[in-house]
Amino acid sequence: MRRRYILGAAALFFLVAYLMFPALMVKAADDKPLIFDEANLLSPEERDELNAMANEYGAERETDFMILTVNRVENDDYETWTENFYDEYAPGYDKPHGNTVILTIVLDSRDVHLEGYYKAEKYLDAGRLTKIRSKITPALSNGDYKKAFEKYIKTAHRYMGFEPDVNPDNILFNIWFQLGAAAAIGAIAVGIMAYRSGGRVTVNSRTYEDTSTSGILNQQDRYIRTTVTKQKIERNTSSGSGGGGGGGVSSGGHSHSSSSGKF
C-alpha cells in the first residue's frame, strides 16, 4: 500500500514537472530582445539576465526598458542615432512605436543618453531621466556596466510608479520625517504628563518681589550702523557628469524626453 502511494506521488510529480517545464520554456522564448550590446560590455550570461529583468520589470509598467551600447556614433550624434533606432526597430511595449525608454551608451566618446517615449515620456520626463543618469554614472565610470544597467532598469521602474508631479526621491524622506515628527510629539506629550503628575510648581519670580522697591533704574538704546552685503548665488542647472535634460522629436514624428551626459 505504501509502495503504491509513493509510486503515485512520484508519477504526479513528474506529470506536473512535464506540464510546467514547457510553459517555462515558452515564457523564456517569448521574452523580446531589449539588450543590444554592440560594444560587448556584457558577457552572454549578463545579457540574458538583464534581458529577462527588463522584460519582467517592463511588463509591470507596460513599457519597454531598452539598453543600446555602441563603440562610436557618426558625428557623435547619439540622440539622432537613438531616435533612428526607435523609428526603425523599437516596437514599443503596447503597440508599434509605443511605450519605451532607451538607455544608449557610446563607449568611445563616453556618452550616456536616455530617451522616453509615450508613457515613458510622461512618467520619465527630462528631470527624472537626469536623476536616473546621475545615479548610474558612478558605476559606468568604474566599468561596472551590469550594475549600472540593473540600477537603470530598477530606478526607471520605480519612478514610473509615481505620478509625474511627485519627486520620487523624497517619498521615503517624507515618510520618515512624518514618523519622526509623530514620535517627537508623542514624547513631548508624555513628558508633559509625567512632569505634571509630580505636582505643579506655583512659585515664580514674582512671588517674593516687592514691587514698591523694584523697578528699572535706567534704560539706554544706542544705534551704531547697519551694513548690508549682497552676494550673487550661482544656480546649478546640470546634474551628473555634465550635460542636462531636454527632449525632441524623431524623424518619424515621435516625441520624447531626454537627458545626456558623460561617464
Side-chain angles (χ1 to χ4, degrees):
M1 181 69 178
R2 184 178 180 183
R3 182 180 179 183
R4 183 180 302 174
Y5 173 78
I6 294 174
L7 291 174
L12 179 61
F13 171 80
F14 284 112
L15 177 61
V16 172
Y18 175 78
L19 293 174
M20 290 183 63
F21 184 73
L24 294 175
M25 292 298 291
V26 169
K27 181 180 179 181
D30 286 345
D31 281 353
K32 65 174 69 174
L34 297 173
I35 314 298
F36 297 84
D37 184 26
E38 184 178 322
N40 292 318
L41 303 181
L42 304 166
S43 68
E45 293 77 16
E46 289 174 333
R47 281 194 291 270
D48 290 342
E49 290 178 17
L50 286 169
N51 197 73
M53 179 181 180
N55 275 272
E56 178 185 353
Y57 279 70
E60 295 179 9
R61 297 295 184 236
E62 298 184 341
T63 301
D64 279 349
F65 295 152
M66 303 191 73
I67 298 173
L68 315 179
T69 77
V70 62
N71 285 312
R72 63 179 301 274
V73 172
E74 186 176 357
N75 299 323
D76 293 332
D77 192 357
Y78 48 79
E79 182 166 3
T80 300
W81 186 84
T82 305
E83 290 173 348
N84 290 340
F85 182 92
Y86 178 81
D87 287 342
E88 296 171 9
Y89 172 79
Y93 179 86
D94 52 337
K95 60 183 179 180
H97 301 102
N99 305 332
T100 306
V101 56
I102 303 175
L103 168 64
T104 298
I105 301 295
V106 185
L107 190 60
D108 286 357
S109 58
R110 312 290 291 180
D111 285 304
V112 51
H113 177 69
L114 294 105
E115 292 182 1
Y117 291 85
Y118 293 94
K119 183 180 179 180
E121 181 182 17
K122 177 181 178 182
Y123 285 87
L124 298 177
D125 59 10
R128 288 187 177 182
L129 289 181
T130 299
K131 287 177 179 292
I132 294 172
R133 180 169 58 81
S134 67
K135 290 177 183 296
I136 68 175
T137 295
L140 291 172
S141 300
N142 293 332
D144 195 345
Y145 299 110
K146 182 173 184 289
K147 179 180 178 181
F149 297 156
E150 287 177 340
K151 196 170 191 67
Y152 150 70
I153 294 171
K154 291 179 179 179
T155 307
H157 171 272
R158 188 170 73 84
Y159 280 9
M160 291 191 72
F162 297 97
E163 289 301 315
D165 57 344
V166 174
N167 185 346
D169 288 334
N170 287 341
I171 298 297
L172 291 178
F173 171 79
N174 290 335
I175 292 175
W176 284 111
F177 177 81
Q178 292 174 5
L179 291 176
I185 293 173
I188 292 173
V190 171
I192 292 174
M193 289 188 291
Y195 173 77
R196 289 184 174 179
S197 65
R200 298 186 62 180
V201 178
T202 58
V203 178
N204 56 42
S205 61
R206 295 184 176 275
T207 302
Y208 303 103
E209 179 182 355
D210 185 353
T211 57
S212 63
T213 60
S214 301
I216 298 175
L217 300 179
N218 191 19
Q219 179 175 331
Q220 184 179 35
D221 292 332
R222 179 175 297 177
Y223 173 79
I224 299 178
R225 62 179 175 275
T226 300
T227 302
V228 178
T229 303
K230 295 184 178 181
Q231 182 177 356
K232 182 180 179 181
I233 300 177
E234 299 293 338
R235 302 186 69 178
N236 183 10
T237 58
S238 63
S239 177
S241 300
V249 180
S250 71
S251 60
H254 303 288
S255 174
H256 65 82
S257 55
S258 68
S259 179
S260 307
K262 298 285 186 179
F263 68 93

